[in-house]
């Protein structure tokens, strides 16, 4: 069992990855002074403001599209956010890309062009979407995605500083909002196999890095496509069943000693 505990902990760290350095730095600001937080927000605001100035026609079309999107999906399921009003594993697994981005805007996240991620205005949380090579997707690319758990070419990271432990984060971000078929929790990492209302499964790996919690969500189709092996750099398997057994040393649903 000790070997599996070490494997889970290592995989959780691998899933955090260097690609999240910007998000991890920002979410740890929640423990800093108000002036430091405001300074970081000012930098983010400046970066967002200077991305590009859309033409009047583009701005009008974008506004019309946003209104139409929001009207067609105005009532989000309670499970889409956690108790801190941050995006949950349900949001990234069950919502389409444009729905996820609409939800994030409503929950006071803003797109950071510099960091290529959605970051909450107080710096306490972020959402990152990565392609099969581990590169971050743009907001335009995210908007084109289908339901997260059905996408074979992407994985998701939820970064937060709102939880005091991995165990609490796993409960709040994962098991409270998705049906958890099985899970393995240790002191500083957790792995779960979850199913959403769509019937699609995903693997969620939760770990801690730089005083922030990172929840990596990989849908079943992405696991089949080998993304979990790409992320971890280990031959963990290309099915939900084999990946869980490799990570936890037991089959899904089996009884542990």
């Amino acid at each position: 069992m000790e070997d599996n505990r070490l494997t889970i902990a290592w995989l959780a760290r691998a899933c955090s990855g260097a690609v999240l350095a910007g998000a991890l730095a920002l979410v740890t600001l929640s423990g800093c002074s108000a002036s430091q937080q405001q300074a970081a927000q000012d930098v983010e605001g400046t970066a967002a403001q200077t991305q590009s100035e859309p033409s009047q026609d583009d701005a009008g079309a974008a506004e019309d599209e946003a209104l139409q999107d929001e009207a067609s999906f105005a009532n989000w399921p309670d499970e889409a956010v956690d108790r801190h009003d941050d995006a949950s594993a349900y949001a990234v697994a069950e919502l389409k890309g444009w729905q996820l981005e609409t939800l994030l805007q409503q929950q006071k996240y803003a797109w950071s062009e510099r960091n290529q991620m959605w970051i909450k205005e107080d710096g306490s949380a972020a959402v990152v979407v990565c392609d099969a090579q581990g590169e971050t997707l743009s907001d335009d690319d995210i908007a084109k995605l289908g339901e997260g758990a059905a996408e074979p070419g992407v994985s998701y990271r939820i970064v937060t500083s709102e939880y005091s432990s991995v165990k609490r984060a796993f409960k709040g971000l994962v098991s409270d909002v998705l049906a958890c078929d099985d899970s393995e929790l240790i002191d500083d990492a957790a792995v779960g196999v979850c199913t959403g209302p769509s019937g699609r499964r995903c693997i969620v790996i939760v770990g801690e890095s730089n005083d922030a919690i990172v929840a990596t969500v990989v849908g079943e189709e992405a696991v089949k496509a080998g993304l979990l092996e790409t992320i971890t750099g280990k031959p963990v398997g290309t099915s939900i069943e084999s990946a869980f057994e490799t990570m936890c040393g037991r089959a899904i649903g089996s009884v542990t000693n």
Side-chain angles (χ1 to χ4, degrees), residues 39-135:
Q41 291 170 29
D42 290 344
V43 171
E44 285 302 318
T46 301
Q49 187 174 9
T50 58
Q51 287 178 37
S52 61
E53 292 297 330
S55 68
Q56 187 172 357
D57 290 342
D58 289 343
E63 184 177 357
D64 291 343
E65 184 178 355
L67 289 172
Q68 182 179 0
D69 287 347
E70 187 168 346
S72 63
F73 208 92
N75 296 317
W76 305 103
D78 292 341
E79 293 81 5
V81 296
D82 67 1
R83 63 188 180 87
H84 303 290
D85 290 329
D86 295 335
S88 69
Y90 178 105
V92 300
E94 290 290 303
L95 301 184
K96 294 181 180 179
W98 69 264
Q99 294 173 330
L100 173 62
E101 293 196 307
T102 303
L103 168 68
L104 292 172
Q105 291 177 66
Q106 291 175 346
Q107 301 307 125
K108 299 183 179 180
Y109 289 70
W111 176 255
S112 170
E113 186 68 19
R114 181 182 61 190
N115 293 304
Q116 292 290 287
M117 61 186 67
W118 285 93
I119 301 173
K120 202 159 190 184
E121 64 177 13
D122 64 358
S124 64
V127 173
V128 188
V129 186
C130 299
D131 65 15
Q133 289 72 46
E135 298 295 326

Side-chain angles (χ1 to χ4, degrees), residues 199-230:
R200 300 188 184 95
R201 295 188 298 173
C202 60
I203 279 186
V204 184
I205 302 173
V206 182
E208 190 171 6
S209 181
N210 295 348
D211 298 321
I213 303 292
V214 181
T216 300
V217 182
V218 186
E220 187 159 19
E221 295 305 312
V223 174
K224 290 179 182 177
L227 260 67
L228 191 55
E229 293 193 333
T230 300

Side-chain angles (χ1 to χ4, degrees), residues 233-255:
K234 296 284 187 180
V236 295
T238 54
S239 71
I240 293 282
E241 289 78 12
S242 62
F244 185 85
E245 187 164 357
T246 299
M247 289 186 281
C248 302
R250 62 182 180 82
I252 296 172
S254 62
V255 178

